[in-house]
Amino acid sequence: AQTVTQSQPEMSVQEAETVTLSCTYDTSESDYYLFWYKQPPSRQMILVIRQEAYKQQNATENRFSVNFQKAAKSFSLKISDSQLGDAAMYFCAYRRTRSNDMRFGAGTRLTVKP
Amino acid sequence: EAEVAQSPRYKITEKSQAVAFWCDPISGHATLYWYRQILGQGPELLVQFQDESVVDDSQLPKDRFSAERLKGVDSTLKIQPAELGDSAMYLCASSGMGRDYYEQYFGPGTRLTVT
């Protein structure tokens, strides 16, 4: 079974600083997708960034980047130049290619201090 | 920008009552998902539709939960009878075709409280 672990229930960062959220996963598959989703308070979950396992290059979306370590089964999210609007729950998710099943971690609550 | 719509946003019901949630996916999205998110946890898939057909309902408690997507567009998730342990956020998501199949777009959710 595939499991996703987020070991940091809560994190905080000063505005304009950089923060890294951790995620590890367990799988025997070689072909899969990894995602980071953001869930602001009382708002819908939105996709932040996606990584295909076959790609060696780490995905980047503006201030958001990942450190994908396939052998270590690690998928961390780095947020640079943190903004107040980045405050949210962040979920790491795994999905095996051609599978229906998306597995989510328990989430990390990020607080941004002005 | 197209969004997934859900209603109601909040629902309070007594145990043993029936409750229903509605979801309207992004136009053109063939795949629709219902998730349950217990407070402090990540979402867990309840059921997945491809058009009007159920693709995966292995985690749906079928003795009390039912879901339908009769015309392959909007969907309804029903709980009857509701139990205290059903208190949670119920999320609907949809995805399109090709590369977009792996990218799910979520609605705002329905927060259910069972008293």
Side-chain angles (χ1 to χ4, degrees), chain B residues 90-111:
Chain B
Y90 289 83
L91 298 171
C92 180
S94 68
S95 62
M97 299 299 293
R99 286 175 56 86
D100 283 346
Y101 177 74
Y102 295 101
E103 196 160 320
Q104 297 184 17
Y105 297 82
F106 285 82
T110 296
R111 183 169 296 283

Side-chain angles (χ1 to χ4, degrees), chain A residues 3-6 23 90-94 103-108, chain B residues 40-43:
Chain A
T3 59
V4 179
T5 302
Q6 293 179 249
C23 173
Y90 285 82
F91 292 96
C92 178
Y94 163 99
R103 297 296 179 101
F104 287 84
T108 297
Chain B
Q41 299 182 19

Side-chain angles (χ1 to χ4, degrees), chain A residues 15 82-88 112-114:
Chain A
E15 194 176 5
S82 297
Q83 301 175 1
L84 295 178
D86 294 334
V112 181
K113 298 179 180 178

Side-chain angles (χ1 to χ4, degrees), chain B residues 37-80:
Chain B
Q37 184 179 18
I38 296 171
L39 189 64
Q41 299 182 19
E44 293 181 314
L45 182 68
L46 291 174
V47 62
Q48 178 185 345
F49 289 91
Q50 183 69 30
D51 298 310
E52 67 275 10
S53 301
V54 173
V55 173
D56 183 356
D57 63 357
S58 57
Q59 301 303 311
L60 189 71
K62 298 180 188 63
D63 57 335
R64 298 184 301 107
F65 286 63
S66 64
E68 60 182 18
R69 193 185 184 197
L70 295 176
K71 297 183 179 179
V73 181
D74 58 338
S75 175
T76 302
L77 178 69
K78 297 179 181 177
I79 308 175
Q80 183 175 16

Side-chain angles (χ1 to χ4, degrees), chain A residues 76-96:
Chain A
S76 61
L77 175 70
K78 185 172 80 171
I79 306 174
S80 304
D81 185 25
S82 297
Q83 301 175 1
L84 295 178
D86 294 334
M89 283 291 289
Y90 285 82
F91 292 96
C92 178
Y94 163 99
R95 182 172 183 159
R96 181 164 50 93

